[in-house]
């Protein structure tokens, strides 16, 4: 059965000719060289926070700032309250002092006028 | 230890057509073929200093390109067109007029027809002009298996090519 074998061989020849190697896309060599050089670069020794850690760090920083703000805000409020109390105390003491002085003066005046105090 | 840049550039220039073509004809996709081809050269760049001589490099590139291309098509789970088996049952095919031009015009389509094991063997046999026992060693398969894939793959291609030829003549007219 030579004819089928000849046909097969001829087909194989045609197939071989059709399947010659083709060029890769333009710039293939340059892109490959660039990747090779990139993979040779040593990783920079910097402290890289993983993105999730960075997120948590930022969240923690925000929380700390909020707490600090709340704390200092509270402290300011307390200071204001204390100052108001101190002011009120001074005003009270001043008022008492004025009252004491006034009463003393009234008492002296009465004594001078001979008015006996209650027994 | 990595290969020096000059030497690596020379190896790319010498073997890029072969590596890319193996990847393209097995994967049937240009983008995938370029990715596979680049990966092959990058692996050569990392490990190539241990290869002695151009023949050894060429064999290594063929082997790695073939296996990576096979992995790529298995990852994408590309399957040949359905109904390939019915083409195998015809007894006579008039492919006397089939030319390389006709085959080349539809080569991608013809190769995509083939199941992966047949496609790989056909590419290595007719593009790389490797002998069946060389193909068996490269793929790690038995010689009988390679010959079987070759026989059935070629039969399928002939039938498809005969149909393609009629369409080619019609389109060329």
């Amino acid at each position: 059965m030579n004819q089928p074998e000849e046909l097969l061989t001829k087909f194989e020849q045609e197939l071989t000719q059709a399947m010659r190697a083709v060029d890769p896309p333009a710039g293939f060599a340059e892109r490959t060289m660039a990747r090779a050089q990139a993979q040779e670069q040593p990783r920079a020794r910097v402290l890289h926070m993983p993105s999730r850690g960075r997120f948590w760090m930022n969240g923690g920083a925000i929380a700390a700032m909020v707490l600090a703000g709340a704390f200092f805000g509270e402290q300011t409020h307390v200071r204001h309250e204390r100052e108001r109390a101190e002011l009120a105390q001074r005003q009270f003491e001043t008022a008492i002092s004025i009252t004491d002085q006034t009463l003393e003066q009234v008492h002296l005046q009465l004594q001078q006028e001979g008015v006996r105090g209650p027994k | 230890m990595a290969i020096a840049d000059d030497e690596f550039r020379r190896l790319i220039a010498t073997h890029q057509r072969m590596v890319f073509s193996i990847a393209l004809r097995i994967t049937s996709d240009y983008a995938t073929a370029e990715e596979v081809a680049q990966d092959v050269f990058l692996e050569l760049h990392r490990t190539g200093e241990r290869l002695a001589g151009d023949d050894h490099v060429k064999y290594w590139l063929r082997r790695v390109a073939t296996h990576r291309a096979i992995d790529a098509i298995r990852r994408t789970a590309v399957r040949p067109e359905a109904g390939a088996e019915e083409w195998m049952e015809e007894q006579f095919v008039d492919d006397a007029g089939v030319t390389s031009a006709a085959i080349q015009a539809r080569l991608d389509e013809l190769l995509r027809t083939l199941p992966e094991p047949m496609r790989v063997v056909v590419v290595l046999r007719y593009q790389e002009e490797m002998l069946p026992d060389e193909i068996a060693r490269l793929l790690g398969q038995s010689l009988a298996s390679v010959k079987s894939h070759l026989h059935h793959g070629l039969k399928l291609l002939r039938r498809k090519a005969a149909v393609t030829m009629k369409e080619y003549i019609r389109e060329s007219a």
Side-chain angles (χ1 to χ4, degrees):
Chain A
M1 299 277 288
N2 287 335
Q3 194 174 8
E5 285 180 20
E6 282 175 7
L7 285 172
L8 191 63
T9 303
K10 182 178 180 308
F11 179 77
E12 287 178 298
Q13 289 172 4
E14 298 291 347
L15 188 58
T16 300
Q17 213 167 354
M19 287 184 73
R20 292 194 189 285
V22 296
D23 289 324
F28 171 81
E30 288 74 21
R31 287 191 291 278
T32 306
M33 285 297 303
R35 278 186 69 189
Q37 283 156 4
Q39 83 178 1
E40 266 197 342
Q41 293 294 326
R43 287 179 174 268
R45 288 198 164 270
V46 295
L47 185 60
H48 283 293
M49 294 293 292
S51 59
R52 197 169 68 175
R54 198 176 297 126
F55 169 77
W56 286 114
M57 187 186 78
N58 288 342
I62 291 169
M65 284 167 58
V66 168
L67 283 173
F71 175 76
F72 287 119
E74 179 64 21
Q75 290 299 305
T76 303
H77 174 72
V78 166
R79 189 175 68 247
H80 285 163
E81 289 298 309
R82 189 167 59 241
E83 287 171 356
R84 284 174 59 189
E86 287 171 356
L87 178 62
Q89 179 71 16
R90 285 197 297 275
Q91 288 172 341
F92 175 75
E93 288 170 354
T94 301
I96 292 295
S97 170
I98 292 172
T99 304
D100 280 346
Q101 288 172 11
T102 304
L103 285 174
E104 185 65 27
Q105 286 173 356
V106 168
H107 180 68
L108 283 174
Q109 198 168 359
L110 287 176
Q111 277 185 333
Q112 287 170 3
E113 291 176 0
V115 175
R116 294 176 189 250
K119 286 190 180 172
Chain B
M1 196 169 165
I3 299 176
D5 281 358
D6 286 348
E7 174 61 9
F8 186 55
R9 205 172 276 114
R10 185 191 74 80
L11 289 170
I12 293 176
T14 305
H15 299 293
Q16 62 180 340
R17 280 169 58 91
M18 176 191 73
V19 171
F20 178 76
S21 296
I22 288 174
L24 178 63
R25 300 233 163 98
I26 292 176
T27 64
S28 298
D29 180 80
Y30 265 83
T32 305
E34 175 165 358
E35 190 181 324
V36 166
Q38 279 193 11
D39 288 347
V40 170
F41 279 109
L42 290 177
E43 191 172 335
L44 176 70
H45 185 258
R46 281 193 300 271
T47 62
E49 221 186 40
R50 289 178 278 171
L51 300 174
D54 277 350
D55 285 347
H56 193 187
V57 169
K58 187 174 180 180
Y59 177 82
W60 187 94
L61 286 170
R62 266 185 187 149
R63 185 169 59 84
V64 175
T66 300
H67 286 290
R68 280 188 177 261
I70 292 171
D71 289 344
I73 57 174
R74 285 178 184 173
R75 272 199 305 274
T76 55
V78 172
R79 294 283 177 257
E81 61 182 56
E85 295 77 14
E86 55 193 67
W87 287 82
M88 306 292 282
E89 292 170 6
E90 290 184 40
Q91 296 303 310
F92 175 70
V93 171
D94 180 14
D95 64 354
V98 173
T99 64
S100 61
I103 297 171
Q104 199 163 36
R106 300 290 177 91
L107 183 58
D108 289 344
E109 179 189 326
L110 289 172
L111 286 174
R112 223 177 284 126
T113 295
L114 299 180
E116 171 219 299
M118 293 182 199
R119 194 188 316 169
V120 171
V121 170
V122 164
V123 168
L124 292 175
R125 179 73 185 92
Y126 297 106
Q127 176 184 301
E128 296 303 305
E129 299 184 56
M130 293 175 71
L131 297 174
D133 60 334
E134 293 174 326
I135 297 172
R137 268 199 305 277
L138 186 142
L139 295 176
Q141 294 177 8
S142 68
L143 182 57
S145 181
V146 166
K147 285 185 172 177
S148 172
H149 290 321
L150 203 52
H151 172 74
H152 293 299
L154 207 57
K155 201 155 99 174
L156 194 57
L157 277 179
R158 285 179 63 194
R159 298 185 203 290
K160 288 276 188 175
V163 171
T164 295
M165 185 61 186
K166 291 176 190 168
E167 292 170 1
Y168 178 76
I169 291 172
R170 201 164 48 240
E171 286 169 10
S172 303

